[in-house]
Amino acid sequence: MHNTLTPTIQEEFEKAFGTQFVTSLSVREHHARDESAYDKTLPDAVIFARSVDDVVKAVKLCHTHSIPVVAFGAGTSIEGHILPIHGGITLDLSEMNKVLSVDDQDFTVTVEPGVLRHQLNDEIRHTGLYFPIDPGANASIGGMVSTRASGTTAVKYGTMRENVLSLKVVTASGELIRTSSRAAKSSAGYDLTRLFIGSEGTLGIVVEVTLKVYPVPEEIIAAVCAFPSLEDAVNCTVMIRQSGTNIGRVEFLDANAIKAVNQYSHLGLKELPTLFFEFHGSSTGIQEQISLIKELAQECGGADFEWANKTEERSRLWTARHNAYFASLQLRPNSRSITTDVCVPISALARCVRETAEDLKAIQFPWTMLGHVGDGNFHVLMMIDPNNDEERAQAEALNHRLVQRAIAMDGTCTGEHGIGIHKMEFLKEELGLPVVDMMRRVKHALDPKNILNPGKIFSWE
Amino acid sequence: MHNTLTPTIQEEFEKAFGTQFVTSLSVREHHARDESAYDKTLPDAVIFARSVDDVVKAVKLCHTHSIPVVAFGAGTSIEGHILPIHGGITLDLSEMNKVLSVDDQDFTVTVEPGVLRHQLNDEIRHTGLYFPIDPGANASIGGMVSTRASGTTAVKYGTMRENVLSLKVVTASGELIRTSSRAAKSSAGYDLTRLFIGSEGTLGIVVEVTLKVYPVPEEIIAAVCAFPSLEDAVNCTVMIRQSGTNIGRVEFLDANAIKAVNQYSHLGLKELPTLFFEFHGSSTGIQEQISLIKELAQECGGADFEWANKTEERSRLWTARHNAYFASLQLRPNSRSITTDVCVPISALARCVRETAEDLKAIQFPWTMLGHVGDGNFHVLMMIDPNNDEERAQAEALNHRLVQRAIAMDGTCTGEHGIGIHKMEFLKEELGLPVVDMMRRVKHALDPKNILNPGKIFSWE
């Protein structure tokens, strides 16, 4: 049903985009892979969009000629989302990177999709506001919308689902629409904003995002605490959640992950299961939280809190946490990571982590376990030799067992990474064919030619 | 495209449902109107569903024969949502009113759609948990899902959008699906949960709802404060929001509304523009909030805070607030209310309220103004003589002007009531035809025979 980029069609694109239309191998290779363990898949060409008009123009041409079009932001996805598996055009949005407006009365910002989250916070720092959602990678806002990203702060601020107010989207036919007003809430028809969030570029191309932002907390204190066992650390998290405390961050790293970050970031942390905490609020509010968390940690055998009050100490800790992915890869040179991403109800978390640790004993190659345990979400990174099919098969089998374990606990196969091409089978196992078919019918209705990131989330038929 | 309930089709329903299938005039009349000012519209028959199987059976029969089917909960909607304007079956879900499970570790409850929100909180009180979403009326949870309800506590806890974890839905073809797992977050495909929330029974019939619940706050304190002018009260709210304080409730009532609740609930409040506050949290946290709010209120000329610390004092105040709708109707015997529902960005709220008050000077019949100003959401209740076309026209014209004012301020035509049949034109004005057409394509894809609450939100073609 798709066309290939014939010379005549290519000519049309060249005429329309001039030097923004690129077919050089190096550029196509740069858009051929994300942070998954997949081999490179090259697009036929890359268009560097600089404006909404560029996106409209590109999608209209793709629509006319039934050419696949894949939106590309920072390339930090991990399930093969941006691989152009049906060829066609990769639409690079990284040059659409302007913060368009900041409203410090309504606590909203409006940005282009290529804006990176670090850049956003740098550019609005002078307003005393910030955007807390933090998936670890310095992802693009458009990409974070498309995968329904979350990360370390979701436990307090929610995910992209809760923090996107409104979107401008270019539809499959190249029409520019806006999904909602800037009101804090609305009951005006179907929630198209939420429909596009997490749709992985399969329903439209996000060209403008209005986000909620928050006043920088009066005070922020970080802490690290080691626990005798993996289960003790997880149980402490569960108790914190169940206390109803409004903690800013609570992250889990197993002993392997601590070893990796110690090496990579030159930290001297005890190589034990560890929780990273962050407290946001007024100083009295924080003191209340801290005394409670200390109590709960002690009950779970946690000892020697290491505190970080100064910004630089804090950012040293959290940078280390954020580099856990690269640190893990360093445990084995030239490896690629197969990364799991289940999320389970908090009451099932300890059992899910314990059974997964048991399961991991079979694995011969390096692995680390870490996660946003406050949400019931954790990851296993398995550092495979990408050329070793047996290792890949072993890692995929463990991933599959973990997903089945999570689903049996009424959890999900992906807390924040998305489906991409890697988890299409898992999606069926989690929700069942009738539900996937309902998604498919929505896709058919909104992209009848199947040009928008085809072959992702579910099959066309 | 729809069939009428011919004798042979009716026989099939009678065979399938026995005494649960009712065609008596009194029962049909009881399902012919909501709390809007519309005249009665009778369904051809009412089915009292007692189980998911009943709903599946009813929808399958309606699907086979192309008979419209309208879900009915408590009948508290206010834009004509549940009027069977194309005839057919009204499916009364009020007997599906069981709280199915309470999970006091994960802070979730799973309920049938006919459960009323007061009933839910009564039944889970012993767990120390509660469901805070409070639209005022004692609505059914299924209805609150379908209108994306919110109300007085949305300023702290969000709306139904943020508080529904998962749904079981019977689709247009009578298939039972579940939209998601019970995990706190997920990136597993399209957000069907959010697609059904606010879809007003046009995409499926909600038969089970899993909700977030919250620990009852350590302490709750309510307060009432009068202001010299309407604008002073609104400005105070805006300053509270912009301070980032996490207040539990902040409600506005104008002098007319205070007069009405004084009469109806025998309160002695000063007949001035007034804010109702509620503070939730630890006692130290609350004290921090109170001192800040006092400061801000004084800056805006607010005086004589009246405090309510005891449960009965609090509930007396909030019952009065919740009866504002009935209290307003009492201002004019035998009147019906035409109720507006705009929501604007908080920075535009003061101007929107001021210009609306100006506009109301033209109105000869009783009106009140009140709202959830912490979200930028407020209502005008206009008590018309339902048989006086001129009054109705005047009220509708004011409503239209108010909606246009809100849209010009990048707000919405409905913050929480929904579109129903009353606001279909406003929806087009707010979002534009291409967006409404996108919703229509989703409807066509998921309900190709247009049997589910037809003629609501947007027209079929």
Side-chain angles (χ1 to χ4, degrees):
Chain A
M1 96 195 271
H2 298 125
N3 283 324
T4 52
L5 208 61
T6 62
T8 45
I9 296 175
Q10 178 159 338
E11 223 169 83
E12 276 192 65
F13 277 103
E14 280 162 345
K15 210 171 283 150
F17 289 99
T19 57
Q20 292 170 255
F21 179 86
V22 183
T23 53
S24 74
L25 183 63
S26 62
V27 167
R28 287 160 58 214
E29 278 192 328
H30 176 69
H31 296 81
R33 144 184 292 184
D34 57 9
E35 288 177 3
S36 67
Y38 283 107
D39 297 334
K40 290 181 177 167
T41 310
L42 273 62
D44 299 325
V46 177
I47 293 173
F48 291 87
R50 297 191 185 131
S51 67
V52 172
D53 286 353
D54 283 348
V55 176
V56 168
K57 214 162 53 170
V59 173
K60 278 188 171 161
L61 269 174
C62 290
H63 185 253
T64 306
H65 298 297
S66 299
I67 304 284
V69 54
V70 179
F72 186 101
T76 55
S77 58
I78 16 198
E79 303 293 358
H81 298 75
I82 49 91
L83 271 57
I85 54 176
H86 290 278
I89 302 288
T90 286
L91 194 58
D92 186 313
L93 303 166
S94 60
E95 294 179 24
M96 290 177 68
N97 59 0
K98 283 185 286 306
V99 176
L100 299 170
S101 64
V102 183
D103 190 316
D104 58 6
Q105 285 199 290
D106 293 320
F107 297 171
T108 66
V109 297
T110 297
V111 303
E112 292 186 312
V115 168
L116 303 178
R117 62 179 192 87
H118 289 163
Q119 172 203 348
L120 172 58
N121 280 323
D122 292 342
E123 290 194 28
I124 67 175
R125 183 163 291 116
H126 67 282
T127 62
L129 298 169
Y130 81 126
F131 180 63
I133 309 306
D134 164 23
N138 188 17
S140 71
I141 300 300
M144 288 171 67
V145 169
S146 300
T147 56
R148 202 178 297 122
S150 49
T152 61
T153 59
V155 64
K156 183 181 180 75
Y157 298 93
T159 73
M160 290 304 277
R161 185 175 72 193
E162 290 80 24
N163 287 284
V164 173
L165 261 182
S166 176
L167 295 170
K168 278 190 185 165
V169 175
V170 173
T171 68
S173 58
E175 201 163 30
L176 178 64
I177 63 156
R178 185 171 181 232
T179 56
S180 82
S181 77
R182 211 161 51 80
K185 66 183 195 183
S186 173
S187 289
Y190 300 166
D191 192 344
L192 296 181
T193 308
R194 249 50 56 182
L195 182 60
F196 282 109
I197 296 169
S199 63
E200 302 185 6
T202 63
L203 296 178
I205 299 197
V206 173
V207 292
E208 198 177 291
V209 185
T210 299
L211 296 166
K212 290 188 202 171
V213 287
Y214 299 80
V216 175
E218 233 177 87
E219 207 172 309
I220 302 179
I221 295 178
V224 173
C225 182
F227 291 80
S229 84
L230 185 138
E231 245 181 307
D232 294 321
V234 175
N235 282 330
C236 179
T237 316
V238 174
M239 287 161 67
I240 289 167
R241 287 300 284 159
Q242 291 171 350
S243 75
T245 321
N246 189 11
I247 193 163
R249 288 167 157 158
V250 50
E251 293 282 304
F252 167 70
L253 284 79
D254 82 322
N256 292 350
I258 294 292
K259 186 171 160 218
V261 298
N262 275 344
Q263 285 174 12
Y264 188 86
S265 305
H266 313 294
L267 296 178
L269 298 170
K270 284 212 199 76
E271 289 179 9
L272 286 169
T274 301
L275 291 179
F276 283 46
F277 300 103
E278 198 167 78
F279 307 92
H280 298 181
S282 70
S283 56
T284 52
I286 286 185
Q287 288 317 318
E288 278 191 344
Q289 286 186 15
I290 287 180
S291 54
L292 173 70
I293 269 73
K294 271 183 168 168
E295 219 174 89
L296 298 175
Q298 259 158 19
E299 279 186 51
C300 302
D304 328 331
F305 271 81
E306 197 183 300
W307 299 95
N309 308 34
K310 295 209 192 60
T311 313
E312 50 278 12
E313 295 168 351
R314 271 205 336 266
S315 66
R316 185 158 156 276
L317 271 182
W318 285 106
T319 308
R321 162 65 187 92
H322 283 145
N323 288 331
Y325 169 77
F326 300 104
S328 300
L329 286 174
Q330 288 307 309
L331 292 174
R332 184 179 190 184
N334 307 317
S335 66
R336 303 277 296 179
S337 168
I338 287 183
T339 306
T340 73
D341 177 36
V342 299
C343 185
V344 296
I346 200 80
S347 61
L349 183 62
R351 186 156 61 89
C352 193
V353 169
R354 184 181 67 241
E355 292 178 13
T356 304
E358 269 306 308
D359 203 2
L360 278 161
K361 288 183 178 160
I363 300 289
Q364 298 310 312
F365 40 85
W367 57 267
T368 59
M369 199 192 297
L370 48 96
H372 320 306
V373 281
D375 304 308
N377 181 206
F378 69 97
H379 311 297
V380 180
L381 280 62
M382 294 173 277
M383 272 53 73
I384 63 161
D385 166 359
N387 306 315
N388 182 326
D389 295 344
E390 201 187 304
E391 288 188 6
R392 190 182 285 267
Q394 258 193 311
E396 292 294 5
L398 185 129
N399 189 14
H400 194 179
R401 288 195 298 275
L402 174 50
V403 164
Q404 290 174 320
R405 189 176 302 126
I407 291 172
M409 297 172 175
D410 205 0
T412 178
C413 67
T414 172
E416 56 183 8
H417 293 168
I419 300 297
I421 48 180
H422 194 204
K423 290 188 163 171
M424 288 166 60
E425 286 308 311
F426 297 167
L427 182 68
K428 291 186 214 160
E429 291 181 36
E430 178 179 333
L431 296 176
L433 288 174
V435 175
V436 176
D437 187 57
M438 182 170 272
M439 296 180 189
R440 186 180 289 111
R441 276 181 284 152
V442 171
K443 165 76 170 175
H444 287 190
L446 301 186
D447 180 21
K449 287 180 154 190
N450 192 25
I451 60 168
L452 295 169
N453 203 9
K456 310 299 166 69
I457 307 181
F458 44 75
S459 61
W460 177 253
E461 268 133 6
Chain B
M1 100 195 261
H2 297 127
N3 282 325
T4 52
L5 208 60
T6 63
T8 44
I9 297 175
Q10 176 159 335
E11 222 170 85
E12 274 192 65
F13 277 102
E14 280 162 346
K15 209 170 284 148
F17 289 99
T19 57
Q20 292 169 255
F21 178 86
V22 183
T23 54
S24 75
L25 185 62
S26 62
V27 168
R28 286 160 59 215
E29 278 192 329
H30 176 68
H31 294 80
R33 144 184 291 183
D34 57 10
E35 288 175 5
S36 66
Y38 283 106
D39 297 335
K40 289 182 177 169
T41 310
L42 272 63
D44 300 325
V46 177
I47 294 174
F48 290 87
R50 296 189 186 134
S51 66
V52 172
D53 286 353
D54 283 348
V55 177
V56 168
K57 216 165 48 172
V59 173
K60 279 189 170 160
L61 269 173
C62 290
H63 185 254
T64 306
H65 298 296
S66 300
I67 304 283
V69 53
V70 179
F72 186 102
T76 55
S77 57
I78 17 196
E79 303 294 358
H81 297 76
I82 48 92
L83 271 58
I85 54 177
H86 292 278
I89 302 289
T90 287
L91 193 58
D92 186 312
L93 303 166
S94 59
E95 293 179 26
M96 290 177 68
N97 60 359
K98 281 186 287 306
V99 175
L100 298 171
S101 64
V102 182
D103 190 317
D104 58 6
Q105 286 199 289
D106 293 320
F107 297 170
T108 66
V109 296
T110 298
V111 304
E112 292 186 313
V115 168
L116 303 178
R117 63 179 190 87
H118 289 165
Q119 172 202 350
L120 172 57
N121 280 323
D122 291 343
E123 290 195 27
I124 67 176
R125 182 161 291 117
H126 68 281
T127 63
L129 298 169
Y130 82 126
F131 179 63
I133 309 305
D134 163 22
N138 188 17
S140 70
I141 299 300
M144 289 172 67
V145 169
S146 299
T147 55
R148 201 179 299 124
S150 49
T152 62
T153 58
V155 65
K156 183 182 178 76
Y157 298 94
T159 72
M160 291 303 278
R161 184 175 72 195
E162 290 79 26
N163 287 285
V164 173
L165 262 183
S166 175
L167 296 170
K168 278 190 185 167
V169 176
V170 173
T171 68
S173 58
E175 199 163 31
L176 178 65
I177 63 155
R178 186 173 182 228
T179 57
S180 81
S181 77
R182 210 160 53 80
K185 66 183 194 184
S186 173
S187 290
Y190 300 165
D191 192 343
L192 295 181
T193 308
R194 250 50 56 182
L195 181 60
F196 282 109
I197 296 169
S199 63
E200 302 185 7
T202 63
L203 297 178
I205 297 193
V206 173
V207 292
E208 197 177 290
V209 186
T210 299
L211 297 165
K212 290 189 202 171
V213 287
Y214 299 80
V216 175
E218 231 178 87
E219 207 171 309
I220 301 179
I221 295 179
V224 174
C225 181
F227 291 81
S229 83
L230 186 137
E231 243 181 307
D232 293 322
V234 175
N235 283 329
C236 179
T237 317
V238 174
M239 287 161 68
I240 289 167
R241 287 301 284 159
Q242 290 171 350
S243 75
T245 321
N246 189 11
I247 193 163
R249 287 167 156 157
V250 50
E251 293 281 304
F252 167 71
L253 283 79
D254 83 322
N256 293 348
I258 294 290
K259 187 174 161 213
V261 299
N262 274 346
Q263 286 175 10
Y264 188 86
S265 302
H266 313 294
L267 296 178
L269 298 170
K270 284 212 199 74
E271 289 179 7
L272 287 169
T274 302
L275 291 179
F276 283 46
F277 300 103
E278 198 167 80
F279 306 92
H280 299 179
S282 70
S283 56
T284 53
I286 285 185
Q287 287 319 318
E288 277 191 343
Q289 285 186 16
I290 288 180
S291 54
L292 174 71
I293 269 72
K294 271 183 169 168
E295 221 174 85
L296 297 175
Q298 260 157 17
E299 278 186 50
C300 302
D304 327 333
F305 270 82
E306 197 183 300
W307 298 95
N309 309 32
K310 294 212 193 59
T311 313
E312 49 278 14
E313 294 168 352
R314 270 207 335 269
S315 66
R316 185 159 155 277
L317 270 182
W318 286 105
T319 308
R321 162 64 187 91
H322 283 146
N323 288 332
Y325 169 76
F326 299 104
S328 299
L329 286 175
Q330 289 307 310
L331 292 175
R332 185 179 188 183
N334 306 318
S335 64
R336 303 278 295 177
S337 169
I338 287 184
T339 306
T340 73
D341 177 36
V342 300
C343 185
V344 296
I346 200 82
S347 61
L349 182 62
R351 186 157 60 89
C352 193
V353 169
R354 183 182 67 240
E355 292 178 13
T356 305
E358 270 306 308
D359 202 3
L360 279 161
K361 287 180 180 165
I363 299 288
Q364 299 310 314
F365 40 86
W367 57 268
T368 58
M369 199 192 297
L370 48 96
H372 320 304
V373 281
D375 304 309
N377 181 206
F378 69 97
H379 311 297
V380 179
L381 280 62
M382 293 173 279
M383 271 55 73
I384 64 162
D385 166 0
N387 305 316
N388 183 326
D389 294 343
E390 198 186 310
E391 288 189 4
R392 189 183 285 267
Q394 260 193 310
E396 293 293 5
L398 185 129
N399 189 14
H400 194 180
R401 289 194 298 276
L402 174 50
V403 164
Q404 290 173 319
R405 189 175 302 126
I407 291 172
M409 297 172 175
D410 204 359
T412 178
C413 67
T414 171
E416 55 183 7
H417 293 169
I419 300 297
I421 49 181
H422 195 207
K423 291 189 164 171
M424 289 165 62
E425 286 307 311
F426 297 168
L427 183 68
K428 291 186 215 161
E429 291 181 35
E430 177 180 335
L431 296 175
L433 288 174
V435 174
V436 176
D437 187 57
M438 182 171 271
M439 295 179 189
R440 187 181 288 112
R441 277 181 282 152
V442 171
K443 166 77 169 174
H444 287 190
L446 301 186
D447 180 21
K449 288 181 154 190
N450 192 24
I451 60 168
L452 295 169
N453 203 10
K456 310 298 166 71
I457 307 181
F458 44 75
S459 61
W460 176 252
E461 269 136 2

Short mmCIF file of all heavy atoms in Angstrom, two decimals, chain A residues 181-211:
data_model
loop_
_atom_site.label_atom_id
_atom_site.label_comp_id
_atom_site.label_asym_id
_atom_site.label_seq_id
_atom_site.Cartn_x
_atom_site.Cartn_y
_atom_site.Cartn_z
N SER A 181 -8.30 24.07 24.29
CA SER A 181 -7.95 25.42 24.74
C SER A 181 -6.87 25.31 25.83
O SER A 181 -6.38 24.23 26.12
CB SER A 181 -9.19 26.10 25.32
OG SER A 181 -9.45 25.59 26.63
N ARG A 182 -6.56 26.44 26.44
CA ARG A 182 -5.55 26.46 27.49
C ARG A 182 -6.19 26.46 28.89
O ARG A 182 -5.51 26.66 29.89
CB ARG A 182 -4.64 27.69 27.30
CG ARG A 182 -3.21 27.51 27.76
CD ARG A 182 -2.27 28.55 27.13
NE ARG A 182 -2.74 29.91 27.31
CZ ARG A 182 -2.59 30.62 28.45
NH1 ARG A 182 -1.97 30.07 29.47
NH2 ARG A 182 -3.05 31.83 28.53
N ALA A 183 -7.51 26.18 28.93
CA ALA A 183 -8.19 26.08 30.22
C ALA A 183 -7.62 24.90 31.02
O ALA A 183 -7.21 23.90 30.44
CB ALA A 183 -9.68 25.90 30.02
N ALA A 184 -7.63 25.03 32.34
CA ALA A 184 -7.06 23.98 33.20
C ALA A 184 -7.82 22.68 33.08
O ALA A 184 -7.27 21.59 33.28
CB ALA A 184 -7.04 24.45 34.65
N LYS A 185 -9.10 22.75 32.75
CA LYS A 185 -9.92 21.55 32.59
C LYS A 185 -11.01 21.85 31.57
O LYS A 185 -11.32 23.01 31.31
CB LYS A 185 -10.51 21.12 33.92
CG LYS A 185 -11.52 22.12 34.47
CD LYS A 185 -12.06 21.71 35.84
CE LYS A 185 -13.30 22.54 36.17
NZ LYS A 185 -13.83 22.25 37.50
N SER A 186 -11.57 20.80 30.97
CA SER A 186 -12.61 20.98 29.97
C SER A 186 -13.39 19.67 29.81
O SER A 186 -12.84 18.59 29.98
CB SER A 186 -11.99 21.38 28.63
OG SER A 186 -12.98 21.39 27.62
N SER A 187 -14.68 19.80 29.50
CA SER A 187 -15.49 18.63 29.14
C SER A 187 -16.01 18.77 27.70
O SER A 187 -17.08 18.27 27.37
CB SER A 187 -16.66 18.48 30.12
OG SER A 187 -16.20 18.06 31.39
N ALA A 188 -15.22 19.45 26.87
CA ALA A 188 -15.65 19.75 25.50
C ALA A 188 -15.31 18.61 24.54
O ALA A 188 -14.31 18.65 23.84
CB ALA A 188 -15.03 21.05 25.03
N GLY A 189 -16.13 17.57 24.55
CA GLY A 189 -15.97 16.50 23.58
C GLY A 189 -14.87 15.51 23.92
O GLY A 189 -14.36 15.49 25.04
N TYR A 190 -14.52 14.68 22.92
CA TYR A 190 -13.54 13.61 23.14
C TYR A 190 -12.18 14.22 23.50
O TYR A 190 -11.81 15.29 23.00
CB TYR A 190 -13.39 12.74 21.89
CG TYR A 190 -14.66 12.04 21.45
CD1 TYR A 190 -14.73 11.46 20.18
CD2 TYR A 190 -15.77 11.93 22.27
CE1 TYR A 190 -15.88 10.80 19.75
CE2 TYR A 190 -16.91 11.28 21.86
CZ TYR A 190 -16.97 10.72 20.59
OH TYR A 190 -18.11 10.08 20.17
N ASP A 191 -11.43 13.52 24.31
CA ASP A 191 -10.14 14.00 24.80
C ASP A 191 -9.05 13.70 23.76
O ASP A 191 -8.23 12.80 23.94
CB ASP A 191 -9.82 13.33 26.14
CG ASP A 191 -8.66 13.98 26.86
OD1 ASP A 191 -7.90 14.74 26.20
OD2 ASP A 191 -8.50 13.74 28.07
N LEU A 192 -9.04 14.49 22.68
CA LEU A 192 -8.06 14.25 21.61
C LEU A 192 -6.64 14.51 22.09
O LEU A 192 -5.70 13.87 21.62
CB LEU A 192 -8.38 15.13 20.39
CG LEU A 192 -9.72 14.83 19.70
CD1 LEU A 192 -9.90 15.75 18.50
CD2 LEU A 192 -9.83 13.38 19.27
N THR A 193 -6.48 15.42 23.05
CA THR A 193 -5.14 15.67 23.58
C THR A 193 -4.56 14.38 24.12
O THR A 193 -3.45 13.96 23.74
CB THR A 193 -5.20 16.73 24.70
OG1 THR A 193 -5.90 17.88 24.24
CG2 THR A 193 -3.80 17.11 25.15
N ARG A 194 -5.34 13.69 24.96
CA ARG A 194 -4.87 12.42 25.55
C ARG A 194 -4.77 11.33 24.49
O ARG A 194 -3.95 10.41 24.62
CB ARG A 194 -5.82 11.99 26.67
CG ARG A 194 -5.29 12.06 28.11
CD ARG A 194 -4.65 13.33 28.53
NE ARG A 194 -5.53 14.48 28.35
CZ ARG A 194 -5.18 15.72 28.61
NH1 ARG A 194 -3.97 16.01 29.06
NH2 ARG A 194 -6.03 16.72 28.42
N LEU A 195 -5.58 11.42 23.43
CA LEU A 195 -5.48 10.40 22.37
C LEU A 195 -4.14 10.51 21.65
O LEU A 195 -3.51 9.49 21.33
CB LEU A 195 -6.63 10.56 21.37
CG LEU A 195 -6.69 9.54 20.23
CD1 LEU A 195 -6.83 8.11 20.76
CD2 LEU A 195 -7.83 9.85 19.27
N PHE A 196 -3.65 11.73 21.43
CA PHE A 196 -2.36 11.91 20.75
C PHE A 196 -1.19 11.59 21.67
O PHE A 196 -0.17 11.08 21.23
CB PHE A 196 -2.25 13.33 20.18
CG PHE A 196 -3.02 13.53 18.91
CD1 PHE A 196 -4.17 14.30 18.90
CD2 PHE A 196 -2.61 12.93 17.73
CE1 PHE A 196 -4.90 14.47 17.72
CE2 PHE A 196 -3.32 13.09 16.55
CZ PHE A 196 -4.47 13.86 16.55
N ILE A 197 -1.34 11.90 22.98
CA ILE A 197 -0.27 11.59 23.93
C ILE A 197 -0.11 10.08 24.00
O ILE A 197 -1.06 9.37 24.31
CB ILE A 197 -0.59 12.15 25.33
CG1 ILE A 197 -0.65 13.68 25.31
CG2 ILE A 197 0.46 11.68 26.34
CD1 ILE A 197 -1.22 14.28 26.58
N GLY A 198 1.07 9.58 23.66
CA GLY A 198 1.32 8.15 23.70
C GLY A 198 1.00 7.44 22.40
O GLY A 198 1.10 6.21 22.34
N SER A 199 0.62 8.18 21.35
CA SER A 199 0.25 7.51 20.09
C SER A 199 1.48 7.31 19.18
O SER A 199 1.34 6.84 18.06
CB SER A 199 -0.84 8.28 19.37
OG SER A 199 -0.39 9.57 19.00
N GLU A 200 2.66 7.67 19.65
CA GLU A 200 3.93 7.31 19.00
C GLU A 200 3.99 7.74 17.53
O GLU A 200 4.51 7.02 16.68
CB GLU A 200 4.17 5.80 19.15
CG GLU A 200 4.20 5.36 20.61
CD GLU A 200 4.57 3.89 20.82
OE1 GLU A 200 4.92 3.19 19.85
OE2 GLU A 200 4.51 3.44 21.98
N GLY A 201 3.43 8.89 17.24
CA GLY A 201 3.53 9.42 15.88
C GLY A 201 2.68 8.69 14.86
O GLY A 201 2.84 8.90 13.66
N THR A 202 1.73 7.86 15.33
CA THR A 202 0.93 7.07 14.38
C THR A 202 -0.40 7.74 14.02
O THR A 202 -1.10 7.26 13.12
CB THR A 202 0.59 5.68 14.99
OG1 THR A 202 -0.21 5.88 16.16
CG2 THR A 202 1.86 4.91 15.33
N LEU A 203 -0.78 8.82 14.74
CA LEU A 203 -2.07 9.48 14.47
C LEU A 203 -1.90 10.91 13.95
O LEU A 203 -2.86 11.49 13.43
CB LEU A 203 -2.92 9.49 15.73
CG LEU A 203 -3.35 8.14 16.29
CD1 LEU A 203 -4.16 8.32 17.58
CD2 LEU A 203 -4.16 7.35 15.26
N GLY A 204 -0.73 11.47 14.13
CA GLY A 204 -0.49 12.84 13.72
C GLY A 204 0.91 13.23 14.13
O GLY A 204 1.55 12.50 14.89
N ILE A 205 1.37 14.37 13.63
CA ILE A 205 2.70 14.85 14.00
C ILE A 205 2.56 16.09 14.87
O ILE A 205 1.98 17.09 14.45
CB ILE A 205 3.56 15.11 12.75
CG1 ILE A 205 3.70 13.78 11.99
CG2 ILE A 205 4.90 15.73 13.12
CD1 ILE A 205 4.79 13.72 10.98
N VAL A 206 3.04 15.99 16.11
CA VAL A 206 2.92 17.07 17.09
C VAL A 206 3.86 18.21 16.69
O VAL A 206 5.07 17.99 16.55
CB VAL A 206 3.28 16.55 18.50
CG1 VAL A 206 3.34 17.70 19.49
CG2 VAL A 206 2.27 15.50 18.95
N VAL A 207 3.32 19.41 16.49
CA VAL A 207 4.14 20.55 16.08
C VAL A 207 4.17 21.67 17.13
O VAL A 207 4.95 22.62 16.99
CB VAL A 207 3.67 21.12 14.72
CG1 VAL A 207 3.95 20.12 13.61
CG2 VAL A 207 2.20 21.51 14.77
N GLU A 208 3.33 21.57 18.16
CA GLU A 208 3.35 22.57 19.22
C GLU A 208 2.75 21.94 20.47
O GLU A 208 1.75 21.22 20.38
CB GLU A 208 2.54 23.80 18.81
CG GLU A 208 2.83 25.04 19.63
CD GLU A 208 2.05 26.25 19.13
OE1 GLU A 208 2.36 26.73 18.02
OE2 GLU A 208 1.12 26.68 19.83
N VAL A 209 3.37 22.21 21.63
CA VAL A 209 2.94 21.60 22.88
C VAL A 209 2.80 22.68 23.95
O VAL A 209 3.73 23.46 24.16
CB VAL A 209 3.96 20.55 23.38
CG1 VAL A 209 3.44 19.83 24.61
CG2 VAL A 209 4.33 19.56 22.28
N THR A 210 1.62 22.74 24.59
CA THR A 210 1.45 23.61 25.76
C THR A 210 1.49 22.75 27.01
O THR A 210 0.71 21.80 27.14
CB THR A 210 0.14 24.40 25.68
OG1 THR A 210 0.17 25.22 24.52
CG2 THR A 210 -0.05 25.28 26.91
N LEU A 211 2.44 23.05 27.88
CA LEU A 211 2.72 22.24 29.07
C LEU A 211 2.40 23.00 30.34
O LEU A 211 2.49 24.23 30.37
CB LEU A 211 4.21 21.91 29.11
CG LEU A 211 4.81 21.05 28.02
CD1 LEU A 211 6.33 21.15 28.07
CD2 LEU A 211 4.35 19.61 28.16
#
